[in-house]
């Protein structure tokens, strides 16, 4: 099916707001918009980790600190009808896509007003075309399937799935690359290569070329090594449009680095390595492009918003038994069935 035959209108339940809507006064000022979004991600996660230490979160958490430029550089090019599949390190992706820190905070704290009623945490989000799962590689078949479904229905849409370098060890990824190429899926696989898969350096677990793995299945593949938000934004603009118009899959590698631990208590990286990489922190780079007055205004707005978001989340009740007893879950076998 050629691009001209595809429909323009997405389903209503997949509609999304402009990620920069809360900074509408910045229209045309890309530098300010990107800094506002990145600042929101950074401060959300810093406050999230502080609440984790106080025992206010349900389950563990995986922060995106240091990789904010990836999320804003990719997701800002998406539009209504497109979908995103993310992983355990999803907060940055979601905050750009959904711009709802209030509901995300409530979900991570297991509160009834969370994105899925406080039942799933960050690894089980389902919200208006945005999906997460913590199973490495397991999100790729879902993204592939939905991209093909949208193609069959004639929708002018793409699916983006975010994976890490550790996912290259999962066989299901290569099955999906093969099928995506054979069937012509409008799928963009964004591989965030942060040099470490949990506590294993990538040079010890990835043989050969990341790009050639995708090219072996007939996919276009490219890469960018940068923590500069505007560089990444410029890089992905044409790529996403090409996937949309060609209705062909593509893999794109972002060589990046997380400045935080894998999870709250798991970091085997040499301290000197992490400290050296702080020179590439994307936030200071982007702040330099914004005037001091505007940067301070953005930072104050973000702090005020997050204060309200976390206060509202902490004031909510935990889900009731009735809420947890979702009809969709009835009949599923329990641990002793």
């Amino acid at each position: 099916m050629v691009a001209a035959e595809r429909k323009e209108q997405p389903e209503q339940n997949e509609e999304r707001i402009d990620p920069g809507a809360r900074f509408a006064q910045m229209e045309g000022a890309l530098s300010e918009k990107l800094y506002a979004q990145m600042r929101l991600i950074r401060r959300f996660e810093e406050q999230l980790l502080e609440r984790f230490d106080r025992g206010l979160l349900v389950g563990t958490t995986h922060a995106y600190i240091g990789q904010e430029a990836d999320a804003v550089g990719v997701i800002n090019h998406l539009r209504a009808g497109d979908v995103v599949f993310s992983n355990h390190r999803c907060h940055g992706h979601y905050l750009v896509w959904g711009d709802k820190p209030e509901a995300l905070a409530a979900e991570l704290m297991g509160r009834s007003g969370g994105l899925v009623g406080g039942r799933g945490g960050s690894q089980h989000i389902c919200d208006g075309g945005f999906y997460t799962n913590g199973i490495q590689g397991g999100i790729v078949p879902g993204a592939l399937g939905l991209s093909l479904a949208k193609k069959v229905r004639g929708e002018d849409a793409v699916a983006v799935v975010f994976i890490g370098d550790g996912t290259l060890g999962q066989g299901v990824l290569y099955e999906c690359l093969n099928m995506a190429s054979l069937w012509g899926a409008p799928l963009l696989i964004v591989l965030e290569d942060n040099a470490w898969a949990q506590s294993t350096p990538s040079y010890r677990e990835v043989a050969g070329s990341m790009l050639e793995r995708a090219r072996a299945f007939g996919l276009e593949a490219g890469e960018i090594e940068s923590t500069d938000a505007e560089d990444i934004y410029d890089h992905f603009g044409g790529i996403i449009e090409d996937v949309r118009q060609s209705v062909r899959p593509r893999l794109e590698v972002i060589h990046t680095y997380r400045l935080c631990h894998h999870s709250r208590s798991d970091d085997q990286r040499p301290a000197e390595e992490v400290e050296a990489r702080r020179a590439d922190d994307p936030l200071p780079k982007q702040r330099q492009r914004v005037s001091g007055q505007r940067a301070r205004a953005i930072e104050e707005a973000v702090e005020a918003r997050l204060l309200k978001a976390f206060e509202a989340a902490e004031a909510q009740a935990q889900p009731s038994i009735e809420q947890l007893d979702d009809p969709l879950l009835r009949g599923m076998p329990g641990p002793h069935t």
Side-chain angles (χ1 to χ4, degrees), residues 212-259:
E212 292 303 324
R213 289 173 181 233
R215 290 169 180 163
F217 293 95
L219 275 70
E220 292 289 332
E223 61 188 331
I224 180 171
E225 184 165 359
S226 177
T227 60
D228 187 300
E230 295 191 23
D231 284 351
I232 296 172
Y233 180 88
D234 291 343
H235 181 79
F236 275 93
I239 287 170
I240 291 173
E241 188 59 23
D242 181 67
V243 172
R244 191 184 306 280
Q245 295 302 320
S246 67
V247 197
R248 288 288 304 166
R250 183 184 180 105
L251 180 139
E252 202 69 25
V253 179
I254 305 176
H255 299 289
T256 180
Y257 196 83
R258 53 179 165 83
L259 296 176

Side-chain angles (χ1 to χ4, degrees), residues 38-67:
M38 294 166 67
R39 182 75 181 186
L40 180 67
I41 297 169
R42 177 68 61 91
R43 291 296 295 135
F44 178 91
E45 293 204 307
E46 288 176 344
Q47 295 189 34
L48 191 70
L49 293 175
E50 185 270 334
R51 284 166 172 80
F52 180 92
D53 290 340
R54 289 163 50 196
L56 296 178
L57 269 61
V58 176
T60 189
T61 188
H62 303 80
Y64 199 59
I65 293 172
Q67 297 177 271

